Short mmCIF file of all heavy atoms in Angstrom, two decimals:
data_model
loop_
_atom_site.label_atom_id
_atom_site.label_comp_id
_atom_site.label_asym_id
_atom_site.label_seq_id
_atom_site.Cartn_x
_atom_site.Cartn_y
_atom_site.Cartn_z
N THR P 199 -4.01 42.24 6.32
CA THR P 199 -3.06 42.84 7.28
C THR P 199 -2.36 41.76 8.11
O THR P 199 -1.17 41.84 8.38
CB THR P 199 -3.81 43.80 8.24
OG1 THR P 199 -4.68 44.57 7.44
CG2 THR P 199 -2.86 44.68 9.01
N TYR P 200 -3.12 40.74 8.54
CA TYR P 200 -2.52 39.74 9.43
C TYR P 200 -2.17 38.44 8.70
O TYR P 200 -2.32 37.36 9.25
CB TYR P 200 -3.43 39.48 10.64
CG TYR P 200 -3.61 40.74 11.45
CD1 TYR P 200 -4.79 41.46 11.41
CD2 TYR P 200 -2.54 41.25 12.19
CE1 TYR P 200 -4.93 42.65 12.12
CE2 TYR P 200 -2.67 42.44 12.90
CZ TYR P 200 -3.86 43.13 12.86
OH TYR P 200 -3.98 44.31 13.54
N GLU P 201 -1.69 38.60 7.49
CA GLU P 201 -1.25 37.42 6.71
C GLU P 201 -0.23 36.63 7.54
O GLU P 201 0.62 37.20 8.20
CB GLU P 201 -0.62 37.92 5.40
CG GLU P 201 -0.05 36.80 4.56
CD GLU P 201 0.38 37.26 3.17
OE1 GLU P 201 -0.27 38.14 2.58
OE2 GLU P 201 1.38 36.73 2.69
N GLU P 202 -0.36 35.31 7.50
CA GLU P 202 0.51 34.50 8.34
C GLU P 202 0.92 33.22 7.63
O GLU P 202 0.14 32.66 6.85
CB GLU P 202 -0.24 34.13 9.63
CG GLU P 202 0.66 33.65 10.72
CD GLU P 202 -0.10 33.47 12.04
OE1 GLU P 202 -1.28 33.08 12.00
OE2 GLU P 202 0.51 33.71 13.09
N TYR P 203 2.13 32.76 7.95
CA TYR P 203 2.71 31.56 7.34
C TYR P 203 3.05 30.61 8.48
O TYR P 203 3.80 30.97 9.38
CB TYR P 203 3.97 32.00 6.59
CG TYR P 203 4.87 30.91 6.11
CD1 TYR P 203 4.77 30.42 4.81
CD2 TYR P 203 5.87 30.38 6.94
CE1 TYR P 203 5.63 29.42 4.36
CE2 TYR P 203 6.72 29.39 6.49
CZ TYR P 203 6.59 28.91 5.20
OH TYR P 203 7.45 27.94 4.75
N ILE P 204 2.50 29.40 8.46
CA ILE P 204 2.77 28.43 9.52
C ILE P 204 3.27 27.17 8.84
O ILE P 204 2.58 26.62 7.98
CB ILE P 204 1.48 28.10 10.31
CG1 ILE P 204 0.94 29.39 10.94
CG2 ILE P 204 1.70 27.03 11.35
CD1 ILE P 204 -0.54 29.38 11.14
N SER P 205 4.45 26.68 9.23
CA SER P 205 4.94 25.48 8.55
C SER P 205 5.45 24.49 9.57
O SER P 205 5.84 24.85 10.68
CB SER P 205 6.06 25.85 7.57
OG SER P 205 7.22 26.16 8.28
N GLY P 206 5.46 23.24 9.20
CA GLY P 206 5.97 22.19 10.07
C GLY P 206 5.37 20.86 9.69
O GLY P 206 4.64 20.75 8.69
N LYS P 207 5.69 19.84 10.47
CA LYS P 207 5.04 18.53 10.29
C LYS P 207 3.58 18.69 10.71
O LYS P 207 3.26 19.53 11.59
CB LYS P 207 5.70 17.50 11.22
CG LYS P 207 7.13 17.19 10.84
CD LYS P 207 7.14 16.12 9.80
CE LYS P 207 8.52 15.85 9.28
NZ LYS P 207 8.52 15.26 7.96
N ILE P 208 2.73 17.84 10.18
CA ILE P 208 1.31 17.92 10.55
C ILE P 208 1.17 17.85 12.08
O ILE P 208 0.44 18.62 12.70
CB ILE P 208 0.48 16.80 9.87
CG1 ILE P 208 0.52 16.98 8.35
CG2 ILE P 208 -0.96 16.80 10.38
CD1 ILE P 208 -0.18 15.90 7.55
N SER P 209 1.95 16.92 12.71
CA SER P 209 1.85 16.74 14.16
C SER P 209 2.19 18.04 14.91
O SER P 209 1.61 18.33 15.96
CB SER P 209 2.77 15.62 14.62
OG SER P 209 4.08 15.89 14.18
N GLU P 210 3.13 18.82 14.37
CA GLU P 210 3.51 20.07 15.05
C GLU P 210 2.42 21.13 14.88
O GLU P 210 2.05 21.82 15.83
CB GLU P 210 4.82 20.62 14.46
CG GLU P 210 6.02 19.75 14.78
CD GLU P 210 7.23 20.07 13.90
OE1 GLU P 210 7.08 20.69 12.82
OE2 GLU P 210 8.33 19.68 14.29
N VAL P 211 1.90 21.21 13.64
CA VAL P 211 0.89 22.24 13.38
C VAL P 211 -0.39 21.93 14.17
O VAL P 211 -1.09 22.84 14.62
CB VAL P 211 0.62 22.35 11.85
CG1 VAL P 211 -0.47 23.37 11.57
CG2 VAL P 211 1.90 22.71 11.11
N MET P 212 -0.63 20.62 14.38
CA MET P 212 -1.84 20.23 15.13
C MET P 212 -1.83 20.78 16.56
O MET P 212 -2.87 20.92 17.19
CB MET P 212 -1.95 18.70 15.20
CG MET P 212 -2.58 18.11 13.97
SD MET P 212 -2.31 16.34 13.89
CE MET P 212 -3.52 15.74 15.01
N GLU P 213 -0.62 21.06 17.06
CA GLU P 213 -0.54 21.56 18.44
C GLU P 213 -0.96 23.02 18.56
O GLU P 213 -1.20 23.52 19.64
CB GLU P 213 0.89 21.40 18.96
CG GLU P 213 1.17 19.96 19.35
CD GLU P 213 2.64 19.69 19.56
OE1 GLU P 213 3.39 20.65 19.79
OE2 GLU P 213 3.01 18.51 19.49
N MET P 214 -1.02 23.71 17.41
CA MET P 214 -1.39 25.13 17.48
C MET P 214 -2.90 25.24 17.61
O MET P 214 -3.64 24.66 16.82
CB MET P 214 -0.95 25.87 16.22
CG MET P 214 0.53 25.83 16.04
SD MET P 214 1.04 26.94 14.74
CE MET P 214 0.59 28.53 15.40
N ASP P 215 -3.34 25.98 18.58
CA ASP P 215 -4.77 26.09 18.82
C ASP P 215 -5.31 27.35 18.19
O ASP P 215 -4.57 28.30 17.98
CB ASP P 215 -5.00 26.20 20.33
CG ASP P 215 -5.32 24.83 20.89
OD1 ASP P 215 -5.56 23.93 20.09
OD2 ASP P 215 -5.30 24.70 22.12
N ASN P 216 -6.60 27.33 17.93
CA ASN P 216 -7.26 28.60 17.70
C ASN P 216 -6.82 29.38 16.47
O ASN P 216 -6.72 30.60 16.52
CB ASN P 216 -7.02 29.48 18.94
CG ASN P 216 -8.31 30.11 19.35
OD1 ASN P 216 -9.33 29.85 18.71
ND2 ASN P 216 -8.28 30.94 20.38
N LEU P 217 -6.53 28.68 15.38
CA LEU P 217 -6.20 29.41 14.15
C LEU P 217 -7.49 29.89 13.51
O LEU P 217 -8.40 29.10 13.26
CB LEU P 217 -5.45 28.49 13.17
CG LEU P 217 -4.00 28.17 13.54
CD1 LEU P 217 -3.39 27.25 12.51
CD2 LEU P 217 -3.18 29.45 13.64
N LYS P 218 -7.56 31.18 13.27
CA LYS P 218 -8.80 31.75 12.72
C LYS P 218 -8.55 32.27 11.31
O LYS P 218 -7.42 32.32 10.85
CB LYS P 218 -9.26 32.90 13.61
CG LYS P 218 -9.69 32.46 15.00
CD LYS P 218 -10.73 33.43 15.56
CE LYS P 218 -11.27 32.95 16.88
NZ LYS P 218 -10.35 33.20 18.00
N GLY P 219 -9.64 32.67 10.67
CA GLY P 219 -9.53 33.34 9.36
C GLY P 219 -9.51 32.35 8.21
O GLY P 219 -9.71 31.15 8.39
N GLU P 220 -9.27 32.88 7.02
CA GLU P 220 -9.27 32.05 5.81
C GLU P 220 -7.91 31.38 5.68
O GLU P 220 -6.89 32.01 5.95
CB GLU P 220 -9.46 32.96 4.59
CG GLU P 220 -10.63 33.88 4.73
CD GLU P 220 -11.67 33.59 3.71
OE1 GLU P 220 -12.09 32.42 3.61
OE2 GLU P 220 -12.04 34.53 3.00
N MET P 221 -7.91 30.15 5.25
CA MET P 221 -6.62 29.47 5.14
C MET P 221 -6.56 28.44 4.03
O MET P 221 -7.56 27.81 3.67
CB MET P 221 -6.23 28.84 6.45
CG MET P 221 -7.24 27.89 7.02
SD MET P 221 -6.77 27.39 8.66
CE MET P 221 -7.32 28.77 9.65
N VAL P 222 -5.35 28.28 3.51
CA VAL P 222 -5.08 27.24 2.52
C VAL P 222 -4.00 26.34 3.12
O VAL P 222 -3.07 26.83 3.75
CB VAL P 222 -4.54 27.86 1.21
CG1 VAL P 222 -4.24 26.78 0.18
CG2 VAL P 222 -5.52 28.87 0.64
N ILE P 223 -4.17 25.03 2.94
CA ILE P 223 -3.14 24.09 3.42
C ILE P 223 -2.39 23.55 2.20
O ILE P 223 -3.01 23.02 1.28
CB ILE P 223 -3.77 22.89 4.18
CG1 ILE P 223 -4.72 23.36 5.27
CG2 ILE P 223 -2.69 21.98 4.74
CD1 ILE P 223 -5.55 22.25 5.90
N ILE P 224 -1.09 23.71 2.23
CA ILE P 224 -0.25 23.14 1.16
C ILE P 224 0.48 21.96 1.79
O ILE P 224 1.11 22.10 2.86
CB ILE P 224 0.78 24.18 0.65
CG1 ILE P 224 0.09 25.48 0.22
CG2 ILE P 224 1.62 23.60 -0.47
CD1 ILE P 224 -0.74 25.41 -1.03
N CYS P 225 0.38 20.80 1.15
CA CYS P 225 0.94 19.58 1.76
C CYS P 225 1.89 18.92 0.76
O CYS P 225 1.55 18.79 -0.43
CB CYS P 225 -0.22 18.63 2.08
SG CYS P 225 0.28 17.04 2.71
N GLU P 226 3.06 18.52 1.24
CA GLU P 226 4.00 17.88 0.31
C GLU P 226 3.41 16.57 -0.21
O GLU P 226 2.62 15.92 0.48
CB GLU P 226 5.36 17.66 0.96
CG GLU P 226 5.36 16.60 2.02
CD GLU P 226 6.74 16.33 2.62
OE1 GLU P 226 7.73 16.92 2.19
OE2 GLU P 226 6.79 15.51 3.54
N GLY P 227 3.81 16.21 -1.41
CA GLY P 227 3.29 15.00 -2.03
C GLY P 227 3.91 13.75 -1.42
O GLY P 227 4.80 13.82 -0.56
N TYR P 228 3.46 12.63 -1.91
CA TYR P 228 3.93 11.32 -1.42
C TYR P 228 5.39 11.08 -1.81
O TYR P 228 5.79 11.34 -2.94
CB TYR P 228 3.05 10.23 -2.03
CG TYR P 228 3.56 8.84 -1.82
CD1 TYR P 228 3.33 8.18 -0.63
CD2 TYR P 228 4.27 8.18 -2.83
CE1 TYR P 228 3.80 6.89 -0.43
CE2 TYR P 228 4.75 6.90 -2.63
CZ TYR P 228 4.51 6.27 -1.43
OH TYR P 228 4.98 5.01 -1.23
N THR P 229 6.18 10.63 -0.85
CA THR P 229 7.53 10.16 -1.20
C THR P 229 7.72 8.83 -0.50
O THR P 229 7.17 8.61 0.59
CB THR P 229 8.63 11.11 -0.68
OG1 THR P 229 8.48 11.23 0.73
CG2 THR P 229 8.60 12.48 -1.32
N GLU P 230 8.52 7.95 -1.13
CA GLU P 230 8.72 6.66 -0.49
C GLU P 230 9.38 6.82 0.87
O GLU P 230 9.08 6.13 1.82
CB GLU P 230 9.55 5.74 -1.38
CG GLU P 230 8.64 4.90 -2.26
CD GLU P 230 8.94 5.05 -3.73
OE1 GLU P 230 10.12 4.94 -4.07
OE2 GLU P 230 8.01 5.29 -4.53
N VAL P 231 10.29 7.83 0.94
CA VAL P 231 10.99 8.04 2.21
C VAL P 231 9.98 8.38 3.30
O VAL P 231 10.00 7.82 4.39
CB VAL P 231 12.01 9.20 2.07
CG1 VAL P 231 12.67 9.49 3.40
CG2 VAL P 231 13.03 8.84 1.01
#
Side-chain angles (χ1 to χ4, degrees):
T199 315
Y200 298 106
E201 176 171 324
E202 197 173 35
Y203 168 96
I204 300 152
S205 73
K207 293 274 175 204
I208 297 177
S209 55
E210 292 164 341
V211 177
M212 277 165 79
E213 283 167 20
M214 298 191 64
D215 264 349
N216 226 1
L217 287 179
K218 294 208 175 78
E220 309 244 53
M221 55 188 81
V222 179
I223 308 170
I224 306 290
C225 175
E226 70 177 357
Y228 169 81
T229 57
E230 268 124 49
V231 176

